[in-house]
Amino acid sequence: MKRKVLSALLSVAMIATMLVGCGNSASDAPAAETPAESEAPAEEAAPAEDAAEGESAAAPAGEGGLIGVAMPTKDLQRWNQDGSNMEAQLKEAGYEVDLQYAANDIQTQVSQIENMISNGCKLLVIASIDGDSLGTVLAQAKEAGVPVIAYDRLIMNSDAVSYYATFDNYMVGTVQGEYIRDALDLENAEGPFNIELITGDPGDNNARFFFGGAMDVLQPYIDSGKLVVKSGQVSFEECATANWATEAAQSRFDAIIASNYSDGTTLHAVLASNDSTALGVANSLAANYTGEYPVLTGQDCDIASVKNMIAGKQSMSVFKDTRDLATQVVKMVDAIMKGGEAPVNDTESYDNGTGVIPSYLCEPVFADVNNYKELLIDSGYYTEADLQ
Ligand code: BGC
């Protein structure tokens, strides 16, 4: 991603979020809760009426029509919250909901979406596993006149995508980069400081925005020698983590520490694009590293990472209040279902290969040990007990 383009995107996105903001205040929205159903493997991705594991089986008939909500996986806490927030808020708005999780398996997600279309869903909200793998099934949606909202992750190369709703992904990256810059006082301190980088799944369009945003902040310090990446791994591809898996992040870091930091060399900072990768880094540090603890970033404010933050094992996490994203998406669904246009605040940043997709970008903020109580507990996102 070209730096100039990203900077332009940031300006547009920042102005847009400043002008419009995102969703309701957190306290207006229902509390997050984890749904009880398990993820359906591909062969069990059954039609909504007879799906034992589909949420809609138990849902009271909503007058507004049936909405399909496809989530990638239950493995990561955030998607459980996204799913349950979407379901609760759609039901409250009078819709019936077919909520499915796909166990991070692309074919499962395709089958679930096919079923949603054949079961008569009037609109689909999809958080894709792989942004490039839904072209064929979404062509069926288009054919059936079913609008599609890409949720959190952009769906690429499909002209069936009507809208995109997400947090400002580029800003997530700049917030992480700026946190490291300020924590190490890179403007004033002499350095050099050692840093390592880890990002997400190459099939997730967001990962490049996160990494690009952070690198726009950090690259000048790498270029000037104030930041040193001892592993030499600086490209997106070298720093990517398949499926955002904690285990993969951990084993890559085991190797990085063994080759570069096992002789007492200090690792000052780690840019991790999200909490599941930050957790892998923290596990690896706990097992292999004895030096001063590095500044470590993350994203999502997953419970395990907030606990690590409180324990001094992770410095920050970008907080994306999934209640706000759900509120915004429900407004979009409602507008489309009533024959209107969905509210958006960005019509420039997200081209999915078929053209720019009108988007609504919510604003992320960072949480750390100093502000997490206000952001996460006072807002009702977590209880004190969740974090013990
Ligand atoms: C989401 C992040 C999440 C990651 C892994 C990204 O698309 O935006 O919030 O941590 O996927 O699931």
mmCIF file of all heavy atoms in Angstrom, residues 237-272:
data_model
loop_
_atom_site.group_PDB
_atom_site.id
_atom_site.type_symbol
_atom_site.label_atom_id
_atom_site.label_comp_id
_atom_site.label_asym_id
_atom_site.label_seq_id
_atom_site.Cartn_x
_atom_site.Cartn_y
_atom_site.Cartn_z
ATOM 1 N N GLU A 237 4.250 -9.629 3.973
ATOM 2 C CA GLU A 237 4.233 -11.087 3.791
ATOM 3 C C GLU A 237 5.055 -11.792 4.867
ATOM 4 O O GLU A 237 4.651 -12.825 5.392
ATOM 5 C CB GLU A 237 4.766 -11.463 2.398
ATOM 6 C CG GLU A 237 3.797 -11.176 1.252
ATOM 7 C CD GLU A 237 3.602 -9.680 0.975
ATOM 8 O OE1 GLU A 237 4.496 -8.873 1.354
ATOM 9 O OE2 GLU A 237 2.560 -9.311 0.408
ATOM 10 N N GLU A 238 6.218 -11.216 5.190
ATOM 11 C CA GLU A 238 7.073 -11.851 6.207
ATOM 12 C C GLU A 238 6.430 -11.795 7.598
ATOM 13 O O GLU A 238 6.683 -12.642 8.457
ATOM 14 C CB GLU A 238 8.422 -11.127 6.288
ATOM 15 C CG GLU A 238 9.339 -11.387 5.124
ATOM 16 C CD GLU A 238 10.548 -10.451 5.140
ATOM 17 O OE1 GLU A 238 10.374 -9.226 5.270
ATOM 18 O OE2 GLU A 238 11.669 -10.969 5.013
ATOM 19 N N CYS A 239 5.618 -10.756 7.818
ATOM 20 C CA CYS A 239 5.057 -10.539 9.166
ATOM 21 C C CYS A 239 3.634 -11.088 9.300
ATOM 22 O O CYS A 239 3.037 -10.998 10.378
ATOM 23 C CB CYS A 239 5.066 -9.041 9.496
ATOM 24 S SG CYS A 239 6.723 -8.348 9.477
ATOM 25 N N ALA A 240 3.084 -11.651 8.206
ATOM 26 C CA ALA A 240 1.685 -12.114 8.221
ATOM 27 C C ALA A 240 1.526 -13.354 9.099
ATOM 28 O O ALA A 240 2.483 -14.095 9.356
ATOM 29 C CB ALA A 240 1.243 -12.433 6.801
ATOM 30 N N THR A 241 0.298 -13.582 9.579
ATOM 31 C CA THR A 241 -0.024 -14.752 10.405
ATOM 32 C C THR A 241 -1.275 -15.407 9.835
ATOM 33 O O THR A 241 -2.356 -14.812 9.885
ATOM 34 C CB THR A 241 -0.326 -14.323 11.861
ATOM 35 O OG1 THR A 241 0.719 -13.466 12.323
ATOM 36 C CG2 THR A 241 -0.450 -15.531 12.778
ATOM 37 N N ALA A 242 -1.125 -16.617 9.286
ATOM 38 C CA ALA A 242 -2.277 -17.294 8.679
ATOM 39 C C ALA A 242 -3.397 -17.419 9.705
ATOM 40 O O ALA A 242 -3.150 -17.820 10.860
ATOM 41 C CB ALA A 242 -1.851 -18.676 8.182
ATOM 42 N N ASN A 243 -4.600 -17.053 9.296
ATOM 43 C CA ASN A 243 -5.794 -17.160 10.155
ATOM 44 C C ASN A 243 -5.690 -16.388 11.470
ATOM 45 O O ASN A 243 -6.433 -16.662 12.402
ATOM 46 C CB ASN A 243 -6.089 -18.623 10.501
ATOM 47 C CG ASN A 243 -7.037 -19.224 9.500
ATOM 48 O OD1 ASN A 243 -7.842 -18.523 8.896
ATOM 49 N ND2 ASN A 243 -6.943 -20.528 9.315
ATOM 50 N N TRP A 244 -4.742 -15.513 11.583
ATOM 51 C CA TRP A 244 -4.534 -14.738 12.821
ATOM 52 C C TRP A 244 -4.304 -15.674 14.013
ATOM 53 O O TRP A 244 -4.644 -15.346 15.161
ATOM 54 C CB TRP A 244 -5.751 -13.867 13.124
ATOM 55 C CG TRP A 244 -6.080 -12.779 12.143
ATOM 56 C CD1 TRP A 244 -6.914 -12.873 11.074
ATOM 57 C CD2 TRP A 244 -5.639 -11.412 12.177
ATOM 58 N NE1 TRP A 244 -7.005 -11.662 10.430
ATOM 59 C CE2 TRP A 244 -6.233 -10.753 11.091
ATOM 60 C CE3 TRP A 244 -4.789 -10.698 13.024
ATOM 61 C CZ2 TRP A 244 -6.009 -9.397 10.820
ATOM 62 C CZ3 TRP A 244 -4.582 -9.348 12.758
ATOM 63 C CH2 TRP A 244 -5.187 -8.716 11.662
ATOM 64 N N ALA A 245 -3.721 -16.829 13.759
ATOM 65 C CA ALA A 245 -3.675 -17.866 14.809
ATOM 66 C C ALA A 245 -2.601 -17.577 15.860
ATOM 67 O O ALA A 245 -1.431 -17.333 15.527
ATOM 68 C CB ALA A 245 -3.413 -19.228 14.174
ATOM 69 N N THR A 246 -3.010 -17.662 17.116
ATOM 70 C CA THR A 246 -2.103 -17.429 18.250
ATOM 71 C C THR A 246 -0.897 -18.368 18.189
ATOM 72 O O THR A 246 0.243 -17.961 18.406
ATOM 73 C CB THR A 246 -2.881 -17.639 19.572
ATOM 74 O OG1 THR A 246 -3.917 -16.665 19.619
ATOM 75 C CG2 THR A 246 -1.994 -17.479 20.794
ATOM 76 N N GLU A 247 -1.162 -19.646 17.856
ATOM 77 C CA GLU A 247 -0.075 -20.637 17.841
ATOM 78 C C GLU A 247 0.966 -20.286 16.781
ATOM 79 O O GLU A 247 2.177 -20.423 16.996
ATOM 80 C CB GLU A 247 -0.625 -22.043 17.541
ATOM 81 C CG GLU A 247 -1.653 -22.564 18.535
ATOM 82 C CD GLU A 247 -3.003 -21.824 18.470
ATOM 83 O OE1 GLU A 247 -3.353 -21.281 17.395
ATOM 84 O OE2 GLU A 247 -3.691 -21.756 19.511
ATOM 85 N N ALA A 248 0.482 -19.824 15.603
ATOM 86 C CA ALA A 248 1.416 -19.476 14.522
ATOM 87 C C ALA A 248 2.246 -18.255 14.936
ATOM 88 O O ALA A 248 3.458 -18.201 14.683
ATOM 89 C CB ALA A 248 0.645 -19.189 13.235
ATOM 90 N N ALA A 249 1.591 -17.291 15.581
ATOM 91 C CA ALA A 249 2.311 -16.095 16.042
ATOM 92 C C ALA A 249 3.377 -16.502 17.053
ATOM 93 O O ALA A 249 4.521 -16.035 17.007
ATOM 94 C CB ALA A 249 1.327 -15.113 16.675
ATOM 95 N N GLN A 250 2.980 -17.413 17.935
ATOM 96 C CA GLN A 250 3.898 -17.841 18.991
ATOM 97 C C GLN A 250 5.116 -18.558 18.402
ATOM 98 O O GLN A 250 6.246 -18.265 18.771
ATOM 99 C CB GLN A 250 3.150 -18.770 19.954
ATOM 100 C CG GLN A 250 3.975 -19.186 21.144
ATOM 101 C CD GLN A 250 3.103 -19.846 22.218
ATOM 102 O OE1 GLN A 250 1.875 -19.716 22.204
ATOM 103 N NE2 GLN A 250 3.727 -20.519 23.145
ATOM 104 N N SER A 251 4.888 -19.456 17.441
ATOM 105 C CA SER A 251 6.059 -20.183 16.937
ATOM 106 C C SER A 251 6.959 -19.273 16.103
ATOM 107 O O SER A 251 8.176 -19.412 16.148
ATOM 108 C CB SER A 251 5.698 -21.480 16.216
ATOM 109 O OG SER A 251 4.760 -21.231 15.239
ATOM 110 N N ARG A 252 6.369 -18.307 15.381
ATOM 111 C CA ARG A 252 7.246 -17.369 14.662
ATOM 112 C C ARG A 252 8.083 -16.576 15.664
ATOM 113 O O ARG A 252 9.279 -16.362 15.462
ATOM 114 C CB ARG A 252 6.410 -16.426 13.788
ATOM 115 C CG ARG A 252 7.284 -15.413 13.071
ATOM 116 C CD ARG A 252 6.588 -14.643 11.953
ATOM 117 N NE ARG A 252 7.375 -13.472 11.624
ATOM 118 C CZ ARG A 252 7.083 -12.238 12.030
ATOM 119 N NH1 ARG A 252 6.002 -11.995 12.727
ATOM 120 N NH2 ARG A 252 7.881 -11.235 11.716
ATOM 121 N N PHE A 253 7.474 -16.186 16.782
ATOM 122 C CA PHE A 253 8.227 -15.410 17.769
ATOM 123 C C PHE A 253 9.254 -16.253 18.513
ATOM 124 O O PHE A 253 10.312 -15.748 18.875
ATOM 125 C CB PHE A 253 7.287 -14.654 18.724
ATOM 126 C CG PHE A 253 7.273 -13.206 18.328
ATOM 127 C CD1 PHE A 253 6.588 -12.795 17.203
ATOM 128 C CD2 PHE A 253 8.027 -12.277 19.026
ATOM 129 C CE1 PHE A 253 6.650 -11.483 16.774
ATOM 130 C CE2 PHE A 253 8.095 -10.954 18.610
ATOM 131 C CZ PHE A 253 7.408 -10.555 17.491
ATOM 132 N N ASP A 254 8.935 -17.524 18.726
ATOM 133 C CA ASP A 254 9.935 -18.407 19.340
ATOM 134 C C ASP A 254 11.216 -18.367 18.500
ATOM 135 O O ASP A 254 12.324 -18.239 19.034
ATOM 136 C CB ASP A 254 9.430 -19.859 19.397
ATOM 137 C CG ASP A 254 8.337 -20.052 20.446
ATOM 138 O OD1 ASP A 254 8.127 -19.146 21.276
ATOM 139 O OD2 ASP A 254 7.673 -21.118 20.413
ATOM 140 N N ALA A 255 11.040 -18.458 17.176
ATOM 141 C CA ALA A 255 12.202 -18.478 16.280
ATOM 142 C C ALA A 255 12.917 -17.123 16.289
ATOM 143 O O ALA A 255 14.153 -17.060 16.316
ATOM 144 C CB ALA A 255 11.760 -18.848 14.864
ATOM 145 N N ILE A 256 12.133 -16.038 16.292
ATOM 146 C CA ILE A 256 12.742 -14.696 16.285
ATOM 147 C C ILE A 256 13.563 -14.481 17.559
ATOM 148 O O ILE A 256 14.687 -13.978 17.524
ATOM 149 C CB ILE A 256 11.646 -13.604 16.130
ATOM 150 C CG1 ILE A 256 11.113 -13.608 14.693
ATOM 151 C CG2 ILE A 256 12.180 -12.231 16.516
ATOM 152 C CD1 ILE A 256 9.995 -12.622 14.429
ATOM 153 N N ILE A 257 13.006 -14.896 18.689
ATOM 154 C CA ILE A 257 13.724 -14.688 19.962
ATOM 155 C C ILE A 257 14.980 -15.558 19.997
ATOM 156 O O ILE A 257 16.067 -15.089 20.347
ATOM 157 C CB ILE A 257 12.792 -14.967 21.165
ATOM 158 C CG1 ILE A 257 11.720 -13.870 21.242
ATOM 159 C CG2 ILE A 257 13.590 -14.999 22.475
ATOM 160 C CD1 ILE A 257 10.617 -14.119 22.242
ATOM 161 N N ALA A 258 14.821 -16.822 19.568
ATOM 162 C CA ALA A 258 15.987 -17.721 19.587
ATOM 163 C C ALA A 258 17.131 -17.157 18.746
ATOM 164 O O ALA A 258 18.297 -17.209 19.145
ATOM 165 C CB ALA A 258 15.591 -19.106 19.086
ATOM 166 N N SER A 259 16.811 -16.568 17.598
ATOM 167 C CA SER A 259 17.886 -16.108 16.710
ATOM 168 C C SER A 259 18.419 -14.726 17.071
ATOM 169 O O SER A 259 19.518 -14.381 16.664
ATOM 170 C CB SER A 259 17.405 -16.026 15.257
ATOM 171 O OG SER A 259 16.786 -17.191 14.881
ATOM 172 N N ASN A 260 17.625 -13.917 17.782
ATOM 173 C CA ASN A 260 18.052 -12.523 17.938
ATOM 174 C C ASN A 260 18.101 -11.987 19.367
ATOM 175 O O ASN A 260 18.751 -10.991 19.622
ATOM 176 C CB ASN A 260 17.098 -11.601 17.148
ATOM 177 C CG ASN A 260 17.032 -11.963 15.685
ATOM 178 O OD1 ASN A 260 17.923 -11.628 14.922
ATOM 179 N ND2 ASN A 260 15.979 -12.680 15.298
ATOM 180 N N TYR A 261 17.365 -12.652 20.277
ATOM 181 C CA TYR A 261 17.252 -12.044 21.614
ATOM 182 C C TYR A 261 17.547 -13.026 22.741
ATOM 183 O O TYR A 261 17.208 -12.766 23.888
ATOM 184 C CB TYR A 261 15.837 -11.444 21.795
ATOM 185 C CG TYR A 261 15.508 -10.394 20.735
ATOM 186 C CD1 TYR A 261 14.784 -10.741 19.596
ATOM 187 C CD2 TYR A 261 15.951 -9.087 20.865
ATOM 188 C CE1 TYR A 261 14.507 -9.811 18.611
ATOM 189 C CE2 TYR A 261 15.675 -8.133 19.886
ATOM 190 C CZ TYR A 261 14.960 -8.511 18.764
ATOM 191 O OH TYR A 261 14.697 -7.577 17.793
ATOM 192 N N SER A 262 18.172 -14.151 22.419
ATOM 193 C CA SER A 262 18.424 -15.135 23.484
ATOM 194 C C SER A 262 19.745 -14.841 24.190
ATOM 195 O O SER A 262 20.071 -15.477 25.190
ATOM 196 C CB SER A 262 18.411 -16.550 22.915
ATOM 197 O OG SER A 262 19.372 -16.632 21.901
ATOM 198 N N ASP A 263 20.507 -13.858 23.680
ATOM 199 C CA ASP A 263 21.817 -13.549 24.280
ATOM 200 C C ASP A 263 21.760 -12.332 25.199
ATOM 201 O O ASP A 263 22.773 -11.714 25.487
ATOM 202 C CB ASP A 263 22.821 -13.279 23.156
ATOM 203 C CG ASP A 263 22.389 -12.096 22.287
ATOM 204 O OD1 ASP A 263 21.269 -11.568 22.513
ATOM 205 O OD2 ASP A 263 23.162 -11.690 21.402
ATOM 206 N N GLY A 264 20.538 -11.971 25.625
ATOM 207 C CA GLY A 264 20.426 -10.827 26.534
ATOM 208 C C GLY A 264 20.121 -9.517 25.819
ATOM 209 O O GLY A 264 19.934 -8.479 26.452
ATOM 210 N N THR A 265 20.069 -9.539 24.487
ATOM 211 C CA THR A 265 19.699 -8.339 23.729
ATOM 212 C C THR A 265 18.266 -7.946 24.088
ATOM 213 O O THR A 265 17.384 -8.805 24.149
ATOM 214 C CB THR A 265 19.785 -8.618 22.209
ATOM 215 O OG1 THR A 265 21.095 -9.056 21.921
ATOM 216 C CG2 THR A 265 19.459 -7.384 21.394
ATOM 217 N N THR A 266 18.049 -6.659 24.314
ATOM 218 C CA THR A 266 16.710 -6.204 24.698
ATOM 219 C C THR A 266 15.814 -6.030 23.479
ATOM 220 O O THR A 266 16.231 -5.438 22.477
ATOM 221 C CB THR A 266 16.795 -4.849 25.453
ATOM 222 O OG1 THR A 266 17.637 -5.026 26.581
ATOM 223 C CG2 THR A 266 15.428 -4.385 25.907
ATOM 224 N N LEU A 267 14.600 -6.544 23.601
ATOM 225 C CA LEU A 267 13.559 -6.283 22.605
ATOM 226 C C LEU A 267 12.680 -5.177 23.210
ATOM 227 O O LEU A 267 12.049 -5.381 24.237
ATOM 228 C CB LEU A 267 12.747 -7.564 22.360
ATOM 229 C CG LEU A 267 11.507 -7.452 21.480
ATOM 230 C CD1 LEU A 267 11.869 -6.950 20.076
ATOM 231 C CD2 LEU A 267 10.800 -8.809 21.371
ATOM 232 N N HIS A 268 12.687 -4.010 22.577
ATOM 233 C CA HIS A 268 12.000 -2.870 23.197
ATOM 234 C C HIS A 268 10.516 -2.792 22.853
ATOM 235 O O HIS A 268 9.736 -2.263 23.646
ATOM 236 C CB HIS A 268 12.679 -1.557 22.773
ATOM 237 C CG HIS A 268 14.100 -1.453 23.227
ATOM 238 N ND1 HIS A 268 15.166 -1.798 22.425
ATOM 239 C CD2 HIS A 268 14.617 -1.073 24.411
ATOM 240 C CE1 HIS A 268 16.299 -1.612 23.094
ATOM 241 N NE2 HIS A 268 15.998 -1.170 24.303
ATOM 242 N N ALA A 269 10.149 -3.256 21.663
ATOM 243 C CA ALA A 269 8.742 -3.112 21.270
ATOM 244 C C ALA A 269 8.345 -4.182 20.273
ATOM 245 O O ALA A 269 9.172 -4.664 19.498
ATOM 246 C CB ALA A 269 8.508 -1.731 20.652
ATOM 247 N N VAL A 270 7.076 -4.547 20.329
ATOM 248 C CA VAL A 270 6.514 -5.449 19.317
ATOM 249 C C VAL A 270 5.220 -4.823 18.818
ATOM 250 O O VAL A 270 4.314 -4.528 19.603
ATOM 251 C CB VAL A 270 6.212 -6.853 19.889
ATOM 252 C CG1 VAL A 270 5.627 -7.743 18.794
ATOM 253 C CG2 VAL A 270 7.457 -7.485 20.490
ATOM 254 N N LEU A 271 5.177 -4.598 17.507
ATOM 255 C CA LEU A 271 3.911 -4.204 16.893
ATOM 256 C C LEU A 271 3.149 -5.480 16.587
ATOM 257 O O LEU A 271 3.565 -6.261 15.735
ATOM 258 C CB LEU A 271 4.149 -3.440 15.587
ATOM 259 C CG LEU A 271 2.871 -3.244 14.764
ATOM 260 C CD1 LEU A 271 2.017 -2.122 15.343
ATOM 261 C CD2 LEU A 271 3.168 -2.990 13.298
ATOM 262 N N ALA A 272 2.050 -5.729 17.299
ATOM 263 C CA ALA A 272 1.179 -6.858 16.962
ATOM 264 C C ALA A 272 -0.147 -6.244 16.516
ATOM 265 O O ALA A 272 -0.694 -5.378 17.198
ATOM 266 C CB ALA A 272 0.985 -7.773 18.164
#
